[in-house]
């Protein structure tokens, strides 16, 4: 594979991944190489390479002789993945409270304020992207490259479902308020508190679980 081909396939992978994250391509939906090639104005080869990359990340599934589909995650597996995500982010928050510098605190506060703008505009999709950047700053702030990488990998697999959560009534406002408590704990160096706050922020249980299951059912009916 040439550098140009590799760059093209990586760009396509990012574009297809984004279509999955925002719900343009839904769980269980068939991914036709020819249709995608026409959409992006490329041959099928870089599309196939992009799909292989996405399959290696668990974002799509390539089935022998039947082609690729967007990965479907059942309720039980989703709960398990969010449990792991909650623990990874809790670890990031605990370490960030110990290791982030004042300059990094300023960046974290700025990303939190960016979330406020999206909240005030009641724009859940804009908030989705600002929210991702907020969480990324905490991953980075852990100063543990391996932990940061693992958090990013799972976060990417859960993107469509985290976006769905933000579409539930009042969830954006609640999410922003929870962020504020996490920011305060990190800046004050309260590692255990920051960890517990971020763990509870990510966990899906009780009414949040019911809301997500309802959203999944709605998503499946649209596919």
């Amino acid at each position: 594979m040439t550098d140009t081909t590799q760059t093209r396939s990586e760009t396509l992978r990012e574009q297809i991944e984004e279509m999955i994250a925002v719900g343009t391509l839904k769980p269980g939906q068939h991914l036709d190489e020819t249709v995608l090639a026409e959409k992006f104005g490329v041959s099928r080869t870089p599309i196939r390479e992009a799909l292989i990359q996405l399959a290696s990340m668990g974002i799509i599934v390539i089935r022998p002789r039947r082609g690729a589909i967007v990965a479907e995650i059942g309720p039980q597996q989703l709960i398990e993945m969010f449990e792991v995500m909650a623990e990874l982010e809790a670890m990031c928050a605990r370490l960030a409270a110990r290791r982030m510098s004042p300059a990094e605190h300023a960046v974290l506060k700025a990303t939190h304020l960016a979330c406020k703008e999206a909240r005030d505009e009641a724009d859940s999709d804009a908030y989705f992207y600002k929210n991702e950047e907020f969480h990324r700053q905490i991953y980075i702030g852990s100063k543990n490259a391996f932990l940061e990488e693992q958090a990013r990998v799972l976060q990417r697999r859960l993107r469509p479902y985290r976006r769905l959560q933000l579409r539930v009534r009042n969830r954006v406002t609640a999410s922003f308020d929870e962020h504020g408590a996490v920011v305060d704990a990190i800046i004050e160096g309260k590692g255990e508190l920051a960890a517990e706050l971020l763990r509870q922020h990510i966990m899906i249980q009780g009414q949040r679980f019911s809301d997500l299951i309802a959203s999944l059912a709605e998503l499946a009916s649209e596919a």
Side-chain angles (χ1 to χ4, degrees):
M1 185 189 303
T2 66
D3 289 345
T4 301
T5 302
Q6 184 173 7
T7 300
R8 184 184 302 120
S9 65
E10 288 175 352
T11 299
L12 289 167
R13 187 261 303 159
E14 292 173 358
Q15 291 173 315
I16 296 169
E17 182 183 349
E18 197 63 27
M19 291 173 70
I20 293 170
V22 302
T24 303
L25 297 172
K26 296 177 171 56
Q29 185 170 338
H30 176 64
L31 300 172
D32 188 302
E33 289 181 7
T34 301
V35 172
L36 289 171
E38 291 176 355
K39 174 178 177 58
F40 292 110
V42 298
S43 69
R44 290 174 59 184
T45 298
I47 292 292
R48 188 174 301 117
E49 291 163 353
L51 294 180
I52 290 171
Q53 292 177 35
L54 290 168
S56 72
M57 297 162 62
I59 293 173
I60 72 166
V61 176
I62 297 178
R63 306 164 301 173
R65 296 181 297 280
R66 290 185 295 166
I69 62 168
V70 178
E72 296 181 277
I73 303 176
Q76 183 58 40
Q77 185 182 2
L78 202 56
I79 290 171
E80 293 168 355
M81 291 172 74
F82 269 104
E83 282 182 344
V84 175
M85 187 80 254
E87 293 304 321
L88 289 174
E89 295 220 17
M91 290 174 65
C92 287
R94 182 184 299 109
L95 293 174
R98 289 167 47 190
R99 299 174 176 176
M100 286 183 87
S101 68
E104 289 166 325
H105 288 162
V107 173
L108 182 62
K109 287 193 286 187
T111 60
H112 180 49
L113 287 175
C115 289
K116 181 180 184 297
E117 294 174 6
R119 182 208 63 178
D120 291 346
E121 293 171 2
D123 187 338
S124 64
D125 287 338
Y127 187 89
F128 168 69
Y129 291 108
K130 304 297 184 182
N131 175 66
E132 285 191 324
E133 184 56 31
F134 174 81
H135 285 269
R136 271 195 290 267
Q137 291 304 319
I138 297 175
Y139 304 163
I140 294 167
S142 73
K143 306 294 179 69
N144 182 315
F146 182 77
L147 176 59
E148 179 187 345
E149 179 186 6
Q150 297 307 305
R152 284 176 182 266
V153 167
L154 187 51
Q155 182 264 342
R156 287 166 79 170
R157 287 193 65 185
L158 287 171
R159 286 183 81 205
Y161 305 95
R162 293 181 80 158
R163 176 175 171 270
L164 273 180
Q165 286 184 303
L166 292 172
R167 293 195 158 201
V168 173
R169 184 184 298 274
N170 297 325
R171 180 57 198 155
V172 166
T173 297
S175 171
F176 177 79
D177 292 343
E178 291 163 12
H179 283 182
V182 171
V183 170
D184 289 344
I186 288 175
I187 290 175
E188 292 169 11
K190 297 178 179 177
E192 292 305 320
L193 176 59
E196 182 57 25
L197 288 169
L198 200 50
R199 180 184 293 111
Q200 294 304 317
H201 176 69
I202 299 298
M203 287 288 286
I204 53 172
Q205 52 194 352
Q207 188 59 48
R208 286 178 63 190
F209 172 73
S210 300
D211 289 338
L212 183 57
I213 295 304
S215 296
L216 286 174
E218 183 180 340
L219 194 65
S221 70
E222 295 174 358

